Amino acid sequence: MIQKLGQKFTDIVQKFMPNAFVFALLLTLIISLCAYFLTDSTPVKVLQSWYDGFWSLLEFGMQIILLIVTGFCIALSPIVKKGINRLAVVIKTPRQVYFFVFLLGVSLTLISFGWVIITCVLARELAKRVQGINYPFLIACVYYSSGAWVAGLSSSIPLLLNTENNYMIKTKVLTETISTSHTLGSGINLAMIVLFVVFGPLIILLVAPKNIIELADLKE
């Protein structure tokens, strides 16, 4: 039942989901209209604020790009490639692939969300070597595992809150920094990590599909 429901939603999304850039344009338009009609801002002021805000995100954007590029370089390094080759010898079944990819993905993204690239490369290589894989489900395993980053060492909000003279302090939303011991080191965050590591793989095995959609099939 779960597999049939998932397939139904998959068909709907593939048929109607627009490009992500469409959402960016729509959200920009909606926020601009709200700023104009719900505040005393003029059209020129809204446009100027959008322009200033765009460039203020440049520093953060470059940090994110550096993380992704670094993760990609690590994923393609000879050491990681040798590790993937050794894993391919041990991992024989699709369920083992789903389980290990998810568990490794959680472990890596808890260190840095840029390392999700390593999980992607591993998943693709295993999909080439292990028969019987449902490749769309394997992609979902990678995506699901990457959600652990928000509780990990590269979680942007807790790190921002612990940064001296951050923009929330400048705008007087906060009066002082918030230590990561109250965010990343809190009991609820540690509990969320345990849930990801313990129950995540079990959920993956529970909903793993039996039908086969291999990578080679999607290329045709």
Side-chain angles (χ1 to χ4, degrees):
M1 178 180 176
I2 295 178
Q3 294 179 14
K4 291 182 179 179
L5 185 61
Q7 185 61 49
K8 183 66 175 178
F9 282 124
T10 299
D11 294 338
I12 293 174
V13 170
Q14 289 180 339
K15 184 176 182 180
F16 297 106
M17 179 66 74
N19 188 283
F21 187 63
V22 175
F23 289 101
L25 292 177
L26 287 176
L27 288 173
T28 300
L29 179 61
I30 291 172
I31 296 302
S32 299
L33 291 175
C34 288
Y36 177 72
F37 288 107
L38 301 181
T39 69
D40 57 355
S41 301
T42 63
V44 175
K45 177 63 176 177
V46 172
L47 184 61
Q48 183 65 44
S49 298
W50 180 90
Y51 180 82
D52 293 339
F54 180 86
W55 292 108
S56 67
L57 290 174
L58 181 61
E59 179 181 359
F60 176 73
M62 292 304 297
Q63 292 172 353
I64 301 302
I65 291 173
L66 182 60
L67 280 171
I68 299 299
V69 171
T70 302
F72 193 72
C73 292
I74 294 174
L76 298 181
S77 66
I79 295 177
V80 173
K81 187 175 182 179
K82 289 180 180 179
I84 293 175
N85 291 333
R86 291 179 180 178
L87 287 174
V89 176
V90 179
I91 300 176
K92 300 292 186 179
T93 68
R95 290 172 67 86
Q96 291 176 349
V97 172
Y98 305 145
F99 180 88
F100 186 82
V101 164
F102 178 85
L103 196 59
L104 181 65
V106 171
S107 302
L108 291 176
T109 50
L110 283 174
I111 300 173
S112 171
F113 67 78
W115 287 11
V116 68
I117 304 298
I118 303 176
T119 313
C120 295
V121 173
L122 171 64
R124 186 177 179 86
E125 290 301 316
L126 290 177
K128 293 178 180 178
R129 307 179 191 194
V130 179
Q131 295 183 345
I133 291 290
N134 185 301
Y135 194 68
F137 182 76
L138 183 59
I139 295 174
C141 291
V142 175
Y143 180 77
Y144 182 23
S145 71
S146 68
W149 78 270
V150 74
L153 299 178
S154 64
S155 184
S156 54
I157 298 302
L159 296 179
L160 170 68
L161 297 177
N162 194 41
T163 301
E164 294 289 343
N165 201 31
N166 63 71
Y167 79 88
M168 297 191 73
I169 294 178
K170 290 180 179 179
T171 56
K172 298 182 180 181
V173 175
L174 296 176
T175 57
E176 59 184 6
T177 60
I178 299 177
S179 172
T180 52
S181 62
H182 298 300
T183 52
L184 297 179
S186 65
I188 189 171
N189 192 66
L190 296 177
M192 186 164 66
I193 293 175
V194 172
L195 288 175
F196 257 108
V197 174
V198 176
F199 291 100
L202 297 179
I203 294 174
I204 290 296
L205 294 179
L206 181 64
V207 301
K210 296 180 180 179
N211 61 315
I212 300 173
I213 307 177
E214 294 187 335
L215 178 60
D217 300 330
L218 297 177
K219 291 181 178 180
E220 294 179 355

